[in-house]
């Protein structure tokens, strides 16, 4: 029966089956807007009373035509007729609010749902809604009040914590998941391994790996890559290689992760050998592979190899260079002191240079004291971060241009650009200990500073001289030296010496690139203490042993 005939036969009262059939027909014909219009007409010209099926159809129509206003009207109707607790109606309304990022309305609806539903599905929708916009704390509020949490709930929170760089939280959540009695799956493990990799939490990562073995988890290419990445970023490149050699290597991501790990450790020759092996096993490289290869060349001073890889991208594999490839090649040339060639490459690029490329050039200008090119580079940069001001200021101060350096800091202050704080951390005794420059918040502060001053005294006796030209302010020599003495990585090393025995390997992680003064200090301290010091900074790994660094001072 048509809609018009239905109205003629039942001018005052339309029965439910007819109403729902009319609405469903429009939906099935792909006209959700017509379903909503039909509903309004029926509401005004008939005496029908919609049931929960009617509202379920209407909410489907709202979802299909993305009509949030109509959905909110229906929400009001549902409240009036007492159907808001119906399991067929509330979940689609909740989905609509979340899809339109109306999390305040979604929250109010969810809290009321908890009175009659313990289904974790609804809570998981809320978690995903908040985590999508990076609101981890609000997601955690939902998570805590969920009466039932399933594996999806835990996985969502762990992955969200990793994406928000709340790495300790991610590891704590994983521990709680394991204690809850639920069995972690591949997604749980890949997320927590990513947290371990980024935090440098080697002991925790090894426990996670052991747990995977105990559960006899099937290792796919995602988990293989996660394990290789974790061990590589936690300083155990030997374990990363061991895992790589025992897993299936039929997916390009496993190869790319291993190449990137070797590159970060400055093992350029190993990267070249691995790439040849990759080709012999007929695994076709992709754009990520070449980023890793060019990065390895950058870290190891392999200029000619970088030129060859860059060329082979297009000639052999038809891969169009992107900004990341240009950036790695510019970095290679810049670190090698070929600043003119690097600048020419930047000007001839087929894509617009990003901030990373200009910073690579600016960093080399600081290293090679190329003041004019440094100024030109800064002029090309669309926006300046804290690190850019620091680099140019270092260039000026090394040339004794104190007025220019001071003016630069005034500009940064006027633009309210905060200096990025250097943080270093060590994992000892199952806990992570974090330090910042001049930090005195640690419970063992007095002992840490006592050890640090003694180490610096012994380093000077071995020929260490503080690189005071790195201090960008025109202050006394003593003040400059004091500024360098209490850098975060030095405090972290001092704490490790305080808490570990002779001969124990020291592992330090840092969020920024280490300065050249700390680099020289670490080299001499490794010789003085006869200990290996491994430091992972934002760029790469440095292995200090017997007064030398694995980067061969090419960093």
């Amino acid at each position: 029966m048509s809609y018009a005939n239905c109205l003629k036969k039942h001018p005052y009262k339309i029965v439910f089956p007819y109403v729902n059939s009319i609405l469903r027909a429009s939906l099935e014909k792909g006209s959700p807007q017509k379903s909503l219009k039909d509903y309004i007409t029926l509401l005004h010209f008939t005496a029908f009373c919609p049931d929960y099926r009617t509202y379920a159809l209407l909410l489907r129509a709202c979802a299909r035509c993305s009509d949030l206003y109509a959905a909110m009207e229906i929400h009001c109707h549902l409240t009036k007729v007492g159907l808001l607790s119906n399991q067929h109606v509330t979940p689609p309304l909740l989905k609509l609010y979340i899809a339109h990022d109306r999390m305040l309305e979604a929250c109010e609806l969810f809290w009321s749902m908890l009175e009659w539903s313990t289904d974790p599905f609804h809570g998981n929708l809320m978690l995903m809604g908040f985590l999508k916009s990076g609101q981890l704390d609000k997601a955690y509020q939902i998570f805590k009040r969920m009466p039932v949490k399933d594996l999806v709930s835990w996985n969502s929170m762990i992955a969200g914590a990793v994406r928000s760089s709340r790495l300790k939280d991610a590891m704590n959540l994983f521990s709680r998941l394991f204690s809850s009695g639920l069995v972690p799956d591949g997604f749980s493990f890949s997320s927590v391994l990513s947290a371990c990799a980024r935090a440098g939490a080697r002991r925790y990562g090894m426990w996670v790996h052991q747990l995977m073995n105990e559960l006899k988890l099937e290792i796919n290419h995602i988990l293989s890559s996660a394990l290789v990445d974790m061990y590589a970023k936690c300083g155990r490149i030997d374990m990363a290689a061991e895992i790589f050699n025992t897993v299936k290597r039929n997916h390009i991501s496993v190869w790319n992760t291993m190449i990137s790990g070797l590159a970060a450790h400055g093992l350029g020759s190993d990267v070249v050998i691995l790439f040849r092996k990759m080709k012999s096993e007929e695994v076709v490289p992709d754009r990520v592979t070449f980023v890793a290869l060019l990065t390895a060349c950058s870290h190891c001073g392999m200029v000619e190899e970088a030129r060859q890889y860059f060329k082979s991208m297009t000639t052999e594999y038809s891969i169009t260079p992107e900004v990341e490839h240009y950036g790695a090649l510019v970095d290679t040339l810049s670190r090698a002191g070929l600043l003119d060639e690097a600048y020419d490459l930047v000007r001839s690029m087929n894509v617009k240079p990003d901030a990373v490329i200009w910073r690579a050039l600016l960093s080399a200008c600081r290293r090679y004291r190329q003041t004019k090119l440094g100024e030109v580079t800064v002029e090309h940069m669309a926006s300046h971060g804290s690190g850019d001001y620091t680099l140019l200021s270092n260039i000026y101060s090394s040339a004794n241009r104190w007025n220019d350096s001071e003016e630069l800091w005034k500009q940064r202050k006027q633009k309210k650009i905060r200096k990025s704080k250097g943080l270093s951390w060590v994992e000892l005794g199952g806990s992570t200990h974090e330090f910042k420059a001049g930090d005195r918040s640690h419970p063992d502060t007095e002992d840490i500073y006592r050890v640090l001053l003694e180490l610096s005294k012994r380093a000077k006796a071995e020929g260490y001289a503080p690189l005071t030209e790195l201090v960008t302010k025109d202050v006394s020599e003593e003040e400059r030296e004091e500024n360098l003495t209490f850098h975060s990585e030095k405090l972290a090393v001092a704490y490790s010496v305080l808490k570990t025995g002779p001969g124990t390997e020291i592992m330090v992680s840092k969020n920024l690139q280490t300065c050249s003064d700390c680099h020289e200090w670490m080299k001499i301290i490794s010789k003085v203490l006869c200990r290996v010091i491994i430091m992972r900074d934002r760029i790469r790994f440095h292995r200090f042993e017997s007064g030398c660094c694995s980067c061969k001072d090419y960093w």
Side-chain angles (χ1 to χ4, degrees), residues 21-229:
S21 296
I22 291 167
L23 300 179
R24 187 179 292 106
S26 296
L27 269 174
E28 290 175 352
K29 290 178 180 178
S31 301
Q33 295 92 340
K34 188 175 183 303
S35 293
L36 297 172
K37 288 178 181 178
D38 288 347
Y39 167 69
I40 297 298
T41 304
L42 289 164
L43 204 61
H44 282 84
F45 296 104
T46 69
F48 90 104
C49 295
D51 67 352
Y52 74 88
R53 298 180 188 85
T54 313
Y55 288 116
L57 288 167
L58 291 171
L59 287 170
R60 280 174 57 192
C62 291
R64 289 191 184 178
C65 62
S66 195
D67 192 334
L68 178 64
Y69 178 77
M72 295 176 79
E73 287 284 312
I74 291 167
H75 187 174
C76 292
H77 294 174
L78 288 167
T79 304
K80 288 177 183 177
V81 299
L83 286 174
L84 202 56
S85 61
N86 188 283
Q87 61 179 342
H88 298 286
V89 175
T90 317
L93 181 58
L94 185 72
K95 283 184 183 179
L96 256 165
Y97 282 138
I98 294 171
H100 286 84
D101 199 26
R102 299 296 290 260
M103 296 307 295
L104 182 61
E105 289 86 351
C107 269
E108 291 177 359
L109 192 60
F110 178 70
W111 300 139
S112 66
M113 290 172 68
L114 290 182
E115 297 176 5
W116 53 269
S117 173
T118 60
D119 189 348
F121 175 76
H122 308 126
N124 292 339
L125 287 177
M126 292 295 296
L127 294 180
M128 291 173 189
F130 279 123
L131 293 172
K132 183 176 66 175
S133 55
Q135 299 182 73
L136 183 65
D137 290 330
K138 289 187 176 179
Y140 197 69
Q141 290 175 11
I142 300 290
F143 183 75
K144 284 195 293 186
R145 287 187 60 177
M146 287 173 64
V148 177
K149 303 173 182 66
D150 61 9
L151 193 55
V152 174
S153 315
W154 289 98
N155 285 348
S156 298
M157 288 302 298
I158 294 168
V162 174
R163 282 195 299 271
S164 300
S165 297
R166 302 264 287 270
L167 307 178
K168 281 186 181 179
D169 290 345
M171 289 182 273
N172 287 335
L173 282 162
F174 181 83
S175 296
R176 288 173 56 195
L177 161 61
F178 184 64
S179 301
S180 73
L182 292 172
V183 180
D185 62 3
F187 190 86
S188 318
F189 281 108
S190 63
S191 295
V192 75
L193 285 171
S194 176
C196 294
R198 290 172 58 181
R202 183 165 67 191
R203 288 188 180 180
Y204 194 90
M206 292 174 71
W207 172 73
V208 171
H209 186 194
Q210 181 183 351
L211 190 59
M212 291 170 65
N213 291 333
E214 290 174 1
L215 294 174
K216 297 181 180 178
L217 195 71
E218 183 179 351
I219 306 296
N220 56 22
H221 69 274
I222 297 173
L223 288 172
S224 296
S225 299
L227 279 169
V228 170
D229 187 52

Side-chain angles (χ1 to χ4, degrees), residues 3 16 39 56 114 116 202 213 218 259 353 414 521 525 535:
Y3 169 46
F16 292 132
Y39 167 69
L114 290 182
W116 53 269
R202 183 165 67 191
N213 291 333
E218 183 179 351
I259 291 173
Q414 288 172 356
W521 187 86
I525 291 301
M535 184 168 64

